[in-house]
Amino acid sequence: MNASTIAEFIAALLILIGAAMALISAIGIIRFPDIYTRSHAATKSSTLAVLLTLLGAFLYFVTTTGFISVRLLLGIIFVFITSPVAGHLITRAAYRAKVKLADSTIEDELADVLNEKERREGK
């Protein structure tokens, strides 16, 4: 077994793990009860799934053709930066629009913070 074969195996393993994480993310989006937990499933595991898949593709291209794909590297960086931020902003907008929390939610820690801020601003 040479180094190229091992690198191809690792690349295939990364792509397979990325696909499994995408499946877990999809199940989480379907199964979770409200927008807040669904957003968590969509951003955390989907980001990891895309990163693993792109990293596996990058490793495969490097080992088989010797080609370093700047597009794949930029894709990894772009997804790593934008996906969590987008998920946070969507969740924040839903909270400020007063979207109901799930019935199983025990505590809303953000309510006290926002109520205090509104009280200080005189709203």
Side-chain angles (χ1 to χ4, degrees):
M1 214 178 211
N2 58 10
S4 178
T5 307
I6 293 172
E8 285 179 18
F9 176 75
I10 292 171
L13 187 65
L14 286 173
I15 292 171
L16 183 65
I17 293 170
M21 288 302 298
L23 178 66
I24 290 169
S25 176
I27 291 170
I29 291 170
I30 292 170
R31 298 280 303 179
F32 284 148
D34 61 354
I35 183 126
Y36 308 105
T37 53
R38 287 179 185 160
S39 174
H40 181 76
T43 56
K44 298 284 186 183
S45 56
S46 294
T47 302
L48 182 61
V50 170
L51 291 177
L52 288 172
T53 303
L54 290 178
L55 187 62
F58 176 78
L59 186 62
Y60 176 78
F61 284 127
V62 167
T63 57
T64 58
T65 63
F67 176 68
I68 296 177
S69 176
V70 177
R71 288 182 183 176
L72 284 174
L73 290 176
L74 288 174
I76 290 170
I77 293 168
F78 182 75
V79 168
F80 186 70
I81 292 172
T82 59
S83 182
V85 173
H88 173 76
L89 290 176
I90 290 169
T91 305
R92 183 177 173 173
Y95 190 84
R96 290 188 180 255
K98 304 207 185 313
V99 175
K100 186 179 179 298
L101 294 167
D103 294 333
S104 60
T105 302
I106 298 171
E107 185 175 350
D108 183 7
E109 294 179 2
L110 193 55
D112 297 334
V113 174
L114 287 180
N115 290 338
E116 178 66 26
K117 183 179 176 184
E118 288 175 359
R119 188 181 61 77
R120 276 187 280 133
E121 293 175 355
K123 290 183 179 178

